[in-house]
């Protein structure tokens, strides 16, 4: 694992200011919640959607299947290469939402059981290979890493990869989630070192 590797498009595999770890650190604001699936639902609501959409975990997991192996970059400067994620692909979830939209969606706010939120522009949210992961490196996601369900967005800093996700709020325009209101960048591109709000 060299830190001088390049991606196909010529960017460095390891973004500037990052160091490589083979560990899988747990980065959580607050403590790990216990997600009780009894009574749990995944909710989609907000801008352009007349009727909210609701799925049980069982229903959500039947929407589709996807596996991808990608790098993970935390803004606190650690990066972990080659994480094998498995779960429900973004395309399958969006295929359920899109036909019900009456207006254009510009961004989303992701909601988690613990109250954590994070915002993404719609094009970042819909990037191919994004997924709602249930497994990491062949094992069910542990509660610390967001089990039973976490969103994973590979091309932005890992704070956008919301653990214990249970909802998508559709927005007409971008807004700020938890870290984005607390000093972090609205978008968070690791190759642009979009770490802090003052860089916007
Ligand atoms: N719900 C929730 N999701 C979260 C966080 C959090 O505190 N709460 N932390 C974020 C941050 S800052 C990072 S780096 C990654 C870390 O994921 P990991 O703990 O599985 O390594 O989760 C992100 N998702
Ligand atoms: Mo992070």
């Amino acid at each position: 694992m060299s830190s001088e590797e390049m991606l196909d498009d010529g960017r460095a595999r390891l973004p500037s200011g990052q160091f490589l770890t083979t560990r899988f650190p747990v980065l959580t604001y607050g403590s790990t919640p216990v997600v009780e699936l009894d009574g749990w639902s995944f909710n989609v609501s907000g801008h352009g959607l007349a009727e909210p959409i609701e799925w049980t975990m069982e229903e959500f997991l039947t929407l589709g299947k996807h596996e991808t192996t990608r790098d993970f970059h935390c803004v606190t400067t650690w990066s972990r290469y080659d994480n094998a994620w498995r779960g429900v692909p973004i395309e399958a979830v969006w295929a359920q939402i899109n036909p019900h939209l009456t207006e254009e969606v510009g961004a989303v706010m992701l909601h988690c059981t613990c109250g954590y939120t994070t915002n993404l522009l719609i094009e970042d949210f819909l990037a191919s290979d994004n997924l709602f992961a249930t497994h990491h490196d062949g094992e069910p996601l542990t509660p610390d890493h967001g089990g039973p369900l976490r969103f994973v967005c590979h091309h932005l800093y890992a704070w956008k990869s919301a653990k214990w996700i249970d909802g998508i709020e559709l927005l007409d325009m971008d807004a700020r989630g938890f870290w984005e209101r607390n000093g972090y960048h609205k978008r968070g591109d690791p190759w642009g070192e979009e770490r802090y709000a003052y860089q916007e």
Side-chain angles (χ1 to χ4, degrees):
M1 282 197 306
S2 150
S3 57
E4 282 131 54
E5 275 176 83
M6 293 290 175
L7 299 174
D8 288 345
D9 60 11
R11 287 177 302 163
R13 183 175 185 186
L14 190 67
S16 155
Q18 297 292 111
F19 76 90
L20 207 48
T21 180
T22 51
R23 293 173 48 242
F24 192 13
V26 172
L27 258 281
T28 301
Y29 182 82
S31 50
T32 297
V34 178
V35 178
E36 282 289 349
L37 288 184
D38 198 26
W40 183 95
S41 63
F42 191 103
N43 294 277
V44 187
S45 64
H47 178 77
L49 200 59
E51 289 285 320
I53 300 171
E54 195 176 320
W55 292 295
T56 63
M57 184 64 85
E58 213 183 335
E59 290 166 340
F60 189 85
L61 296 182
T62 63
L63 297 180
K65 264 201 172 18
H66 187 59
E67 284 190 47
T68 186
T69 299
R70 301 291 292 270
D71 303 341
F72 197 59
H73 308 288
C74 172
V75 71
T76 63
T77 74
W78 58 268
S79 291
R80 187 183 193 275
Y81 282 175
D82 293 327
N83 298 273
W85 301 104
R86 185 160 95 221
V88 180
I90 185 68
E91 290 86 355
V93 176
W94 194 246
Q96 299 291 321
I97 300 170
N98 199 26
H100 301 286
L101 291 175
T102 56
E103 285 181 81
E104 203 173 322
V105 171
V108 295
M109 188 69 73
L110 305 183
H111 291 263
C112 305
T113 300
C114 55
Y116 183 89
T117 55
T118 190
N119 59 287
L120 292 104
L121 289 170
I122 195 68
E123 54 268 32
D124 288 325
F125 179 61
L126 296 181
S128 88
D129 270 350
N130 284 357
L131 77 167
F132 297 83
T134 55
H135 288 72
H136 176 268
D137 286 354
E139 301 290 334
L141 267 181
T142 61
D144 281 346
H145 288 299
L149 189 70
R150 82 177 294 169
F151 180 66
V152 182
C153 174
H154 314 284
H155 71 285
L156 298 178
Y157 282 123
W159 87 77
K160 300 289 185 181
S161 292
K163 302 195 277 190
W164 318 292
I165 188 168
D166 64 5
I168 303 166
E169 183 188 350
L170 307 172
L171 305 171
D172 60 342
M173 286 164 42
D174 202 11
R176 308 188 82 92
F178 173 73
W179 281 122
E180 297 83 1
R181 281 195 305 273
N182 286 282
Y184 284 89
H185 197 280
K186 223 173 173 181
R187 179 153 184 266
D189 171 14
W191 287 270
E193 279 204 71
E194 294 177 343
R195 297 177 189 275
Y196 305 108
Y198 66 75
Q199 299 168 312
E200 285 168 14

